[in-house]
Amino acid sequence: MIKNILSFIFTVFAVAASAQTTIVESLQVEKSGQGRVTVHHDASISSLIGKRFVSAGLPESQRMIKTRGYRVQVYAGNNSRQARNDANSVAEKVKEKFPEMPVYTFFQPPRWLCRVGDYKSIEEAHVAMMLLKNTGVFKEVAIVREQINIPIE
């Protein structure tokens, strides 16, 4: 009985100790039958591992994570000056009707585009697409996969 209790306590301490290791330490542990990994890095990197990133001191433009996601395309034109004006006009209409939605107007050769939102899932993008479509103002509405901006706290 005492052996079982002692082995249980030892197991708990072993698990707790292994949970405290960083990824760098776990990579450098020698395991029989496997290769050896040596990580050369600055000591300040080890001190940052496991700490939460705080963006309070960063400018607004750097408080974003870029990742793959979805946007709703509300306009696609050609490369003329009129298409540029149309894209900006559609962007203003979106901002009037849905001020909370981020709007992106840009030139992606060979056309001007206006896209709305930063959605992580296609379901979120579909809800936004239906809102835009139901206004009756936007004729060309489609979901596109694109790099999106996710704000960090």
Side-chain angles (χ1 to χ4, degrees), residues 139-152:
K139 297 174 186 158
E140 307 169 21
V141 183
I143 297 172
V144 293
R145 188 163 174 89
E146 189 173 70
Q147 185 170 341
I148 62 170
N149 302 316
I150 304 296
I152 54 176

Side-chain angles (χ1 to χ4, degrees), residues 121-142:
S121 70
I122 197 164
E123 291 82 12
E124 292 174 315
H126 182 75
V127 169
M129 181 185 74
M130 294 311 293
L131 285 171
L132 289 160
K133 198 179 267 190
N134 289 338
T135 62
V137 175
F138 309 104
K139 297 174 186 158
E140 307 169 21
V141 183

Side-chain angles (χ1 to χ4, degrees), residues 43-149:
S44 62
I45 293 174
S46 289
S47 68
L48 294 174
I49 294 175
K51 293 193 176 175
R52 182 152 171 84
F53 179 72
V54 179
S55 65
L58 293 176
E60 188 69 31
S61 62
Q62 293 179 356
R63 293 184 192 177
M64 298 284 178
I65 295 173
K66 294 189 180 289
T67 187
R68 295 295 287 170
Y70 301 92
R71 288 193 174 140
V72 179
Q73 183 169 297
V74 291
Y75 177 81
N78 56 24
N79 64 352
S80 68
R81 183 171 296 166
Q82 181 60 41
R84 179 182 188 174
N85 293 338
D86 292 345
N88 288 326
S89 173
V90 169
E92 289 303 316
K93 288 177 187 174
V94 172
K95 289 176 187 175
E96 284 175 19
K97 298 215 178 270
F98 303 100
E100 72 282 356
M101 289 185 181
V103 180
Y104 303 93
T105 304
F106 55 94
F107 181 71
Q108 185 176 29
R111 59 201 166 155
W112 279 95
L113 300 171
C114 180
R115 294 182 176 165
V116 178
D118 291 308
Y119 305 107
K120 295 177 194 172
S121 70
I122 197 164
E123 291 82 12
E124 292 174 315
H126 182 75
V127 169
M129 181 185 74
M130 294 311 293
L131 285 171
L132 289 160
K133 198 179 267 190
N134 289 338
T135 62
V137 175
F138 309 104
K139 297 174 186 158
E140 307 169 21
V141 183
I143 297 172
V144 293
R145 188 163 174 89
E146 189 173 70
Q147 185 170 341
I148 62 170
N149 302 316

